[in-house]
Amino acid sequence: TGNPGVSGLYAGWQLLSYGFVWRPTMEGTTKKGFQRIIGTLVGGLFAWIGVMVCSGSYADSAPMNPYGTIAWLTVVTVLGGYFAIEPGMKAFLGVSYDYGLAVAYFVMVQNLIVADVFVGQGSKGDIVTNRIVATLTGSAMATLFGLIPPVVRGSEPRHSREYLKHLKSAFTSILQRSVDDADCQDVPYETFKKQVLLAASSQREVVNYLMKDAGAFKIVNKVLPFLKVEPALEKEVTRMTTTESFIDIFLLFSEYVNKSETGATVDDVFPAAPGIKRERVQSMIIELRSDDGLKNCGSTTGTKIGDHSPGDIVDSSSVQTVYLPLA
């Protein structure tokens, strides 16, 4: 547009904008594209105003006052940083994950345009127009293509269901270990813990990351509700995270029971956990260990915990009291 040299200067901004907009989820890509578009438009407007203020003229090629330019860039950057940070304790976390990118793009675009005009890369009109058009083109393309299937949705329940499946599998394995005699357990405690909980913890990280990515820029949810992460899903994931912590504690306690001839007391293991039904946990493990049909060291005779499906374990009355978040 306008000066061919300026058009060539911004020829690569479409590709840069296209690449930087992409996120792991469809919701994240769409919302980041909106933030980049908003930040670019507002940044271009402020840059246009800033060049006129610093040059004291409406003319495109009027020289800019260096002190005025520094003052303008400083004030706009400080104000942008202020509004990019959420109030309260969240301010210590830095730029807002929800809307911070829109402010960051606003500051970046505004500063780049003002600096380019100041050093003489082109006139105000040419640089503002080319920069905005190039950035909007790349951002709009990424936003549009991000909606075309197949896509990864951070709000899709299947990721959480996979997390739940790993939790059930981990708890089933821990129950089997808790009823085996100590001399039957050839896998050390720490190794066993990593084996049974690694898949669950890894899937939890994936679920939380995808939901966080999809949940940014919540103001768009009012206009496009299909981009929203359901609060009910977030609550269920929180409950499953709590369950994962309980499974870890349950495994620790079962180790104490298995390694003690008389059985460890609950207070020895849970001195700071009054919220847990501790007596129920202890009686459950001791009851399981007292059943000769279950203490078979993984043999084919008798009944093994692993022989039951995860659903059977969760629905049993004894486990349901302990394993409530999965009920």
Side-chain angles (χ1 to χ4, degrees):
T1 315
N3 189 338
V6 175
S7 299
L9 179 66
Y10 289 102
W13 282 103
Q14 296 98 323
L15 293 177
L16 286 175
S17 299
Y18 178 83
F20 283 131
V21 165
W22 282 101
R23 297 292 302 169
T25 65
M26 179 271 290
E27 299 96 333
T29 300
T30 304
K31 292 177 178 180
K32 188 176 181 181
F34 287 151
Q35 291 189 75
R36 191 168 181 87
I37 290 172
I38 293 172
T40 298
L41 290 174
V42 179
L45 174 62
F46 270 73
W48 182 284
I49 297 173
V51 170
M52 289 193 297
V53 171
C54 296
S55 63
S57 172
Y58 291 104
D60 271 356
S61 301
M64 298 172 61
N65 183 298
Y67 301 105
T69 302
I70 293 175
W72 177 270
L73 293 178
T74 302
V75 170
V76 173
T77 301
V78 171
L79 289 176
Y82 174 79
F83 287 108
I85 298 175
E86 296 187 49
M89 295 300 295
K90 290 184 178 181
F92 292 98
L93 301 178
V95 176
S96 170
Y97 194 88
D98 184 28
Y99 58 83
L101 285 177
V103 182
Y105 288 135
F106 153 71
V107 173
M108 180 184 70
V109 170
Q110 197 270 161
N111 289 355
L112 286 175
I113 292 177
V114 172
D116 283 344
V117 175
F118 178 77
V119 299
Q121 290 283 0
S123 66
K124 173 186 62 182
D126 286 339
I127 291 180
V128 170
T129 303
N130 281 275
R131 181 70 169 82
I132 290 179
V133 171
T135 302
L136 293 185
T137 301
S139 301
M141 289 175 59
T143 303
L144 177 62
F145 290 149
L147 296 172
I148 300 177
V151 297
V152 175
R153 292 182 58 90
S155 57
E156 193 170 1
R158 67 183 179 90
H159 307 296
S160 303
R161 285 197 294 268
E162 189 71 17
Y163 180 30
L164 179 61
K165 185 178 86 171
H166 289 311
L167 286 177
K168 289 181 176 180
S169 175
F171 193 58
T172 301
S173 300
I174 291 172
L175 281 179
Q176 179 63 58
R177 183 181 176 91
S178 69
V179 301
D180 284 341
D181 287 328
D183 55 0
C184 300
Q185 299 168 4
D186 54 352
V187 180
Y189 164 71
E190 290 296 335
T191 303
F192 178 78
K193 176 181 177 180
K194 291 179 180 179
Q195 289 176 348
V196 300
L197 291 179
L198 179 60
S201 61
S202 300
Q203 186 64 25
R204 166 176 46 81
E205 293 178 0
V206 170
V207 170
N208 287 331
Y209 179 72
L210 294 179
M211 284 182 30
K212 182 178 180 181
D213 185 70
F217 209 40
K218 295 181 176 59
I219 191 174
V220 177
N221 297 337
K222 298 178 180 180
V223 182
L224 302 173
F226 70 92
L227 298 176
K228 179 177 66 174
V229 178
E230 291 296 333
L233 179 61
E234 295 177 332
K235 291 180 179 178
E236 289 301 317
V237 172
T238 301
R239 292 180 63 200
M240 285 189 280
T241 304
T242 305
T243 298
E244 183 183 347
S245 300
F246 169 79
I247 291 176
D248 194 359
I249 297 174
F250 188 92
L251 175 58
L252 175 63
F253 181 70
S254 67
E255 289 300 303
Y256 274 83
V257 174
N258 282 329
K259 292 179 180 179
S260 172
E261 293 182 358
T262 59
T265 64
V266 185
D267 289 329
D268 290 338
V269 188
F270 300 115
I276 297 177
K277 294 183 178 180
R278 301 178 298 173
E279 292 77 7
R280 185 59 176 166
V281 175
Q282 184 181 29
S283 62
M284 172 186 170
I285 294 180
I286 293 177
E287 180 183 351
L288 288 171
R289 283 177 49 77
S290 64
D291 189 336
D292 294 334
L294 292 177
K295 294 170 55 179
N296 50 50
C297 300
S299 67
T300 55
T301 60
T303 304
K304 287 181 59 182
I305 293 292
D307 290 338
H308 297 282
S309 67
D312 294 335
I313 295 296
V314 173
D315 291 336
S316 63
S317 59
S318 59
V319 178
Q320 188 174 14
T321 304
V322 180
Y323 201 45
L324 186 58
L326 286 186

